[in-house]
Amino acid sequence: MTDRYAVIGNPISHSKSPLIHARFARETGQDIEYGALLGPLDGFAAVVRSFRAAGGLGLNVTVPFKLAACELADFRSERVRLAGAANALKFDLQGIHAENFDGIGLVNDIEHNLGLALRGKRILLVGAGGAARGVLLPFLEREPAELVIVNRTLRTAEQLAEMVAAYGKVSSAGYSDIPGERFDLVVNASSASLSGDALPLPQNVFSRSGLAYEMAYGKGLTPFLRLAADAGTGRLADGAGMLVEQAAESFFWWRGVRPATAELVRELSLPLQAG
Ligand code: ATR
């Protein structure tokens, strides 16, 4: 019988995960089926349980169920515990295992596809919600010179910085008092782009040799990326590569086989340079 996996979210029809995993399965010769499940907002756990009862082996989890997936699991990785959120589940005889590959997916995209090694670099992380939480630990594991978390609500950024203080040099700031200029990497993990809002980031955080990364995928030149482009940032990226790389980590976790990603990342990445 073909092994079954799926992505669960709400909404879900826009998800590229079935396409990505079908491609991975074809290219690695794995006999799997990967579908898309629309989770009812008040019935996530029931859908997961019935998928598992019907023989499903694993799920990717997307908005708005990442916190619920963490709660539902019997076993959580350190990344999941720190993020308070999971984006992949695996089912076996022991129970439900939870992982969070969002951060490692982002780091792999930045380092391998975009060619920016993070060790010794200055990183500005914009936002302090769930998306920011998920990437903190993988960033700090790369030993950047400094990681600054900037957020509209300063207290939330302070709490995140305190939570991971033991893992590296990390600090928090409001938009009007960001320490230093010209970060090597500025990542937008806030949800401002989803609502089309501009962020009050000063131009001097961007640099000509730096990279501006919008974690949201498929939104084109968002207000954040436009700001970065206007400030002369050398390179712009959106979350397409992160999506493919986290999918590859999930695939490897489930199947023990690592799919190639570079060509698919190129295909899914929209041209973003302001022109
Ligand atoms: P997600 O899970 O996508 O991270 P979230 O947990 O609701 O969503 O967090 C949203 C983040 O985007 C927060 O950091 C939020 O800032 P506040 O903590 O001050 O609310 C940030 N955000 C959302 N809209 C914003 C805007 N218009 N300007 C600046 N920051 C914004």
Side-chain angles (χ1 to χ4, degrees), residues 63 66 126-133 150-154 156-157 175 188-200:
V63 176
K66 291 183 184 184
V126 182
R133 256 177 110 111
V150 59
N151 197 41
R152 186 173 58 181
T153 310
L154 179 57
T156 323
Y175 283 95
N188 184 19
S190 84
S191 54
S193 297
L194 303 180
S195 47
D197 292 339
L199 290 160

Side-chain angles (χ1 to χ4, degrees), residues 16 46 84 90 105 114 137 144 149 165 167-168 185 208 215 248 257 273-274:
K16 296 255 186 274
K90 179 159 76 175
L114 297 161
L137 195 55
I149 307 167
Y167 294 87
L185 171 67
R208 210 156 276 286
M215 271 170 65
V257 179
Q273 303 305 327

Side-chain angles (χ1 to χ4, degrees), residues 101-124:
F101 297 122
D102 284 335
I104 188 79
L106 174 64
V107 167
N108 283 349
D109 188 35
I110 291 168
E111 294 209 316
H112 302 154
N113 302 325
L114 297 161
L116 177 68
L118 294 176
R119 191 189 167 93
K121 298 295 195 304
R122 297 183 67 237
I123 303 174
L124 181 63

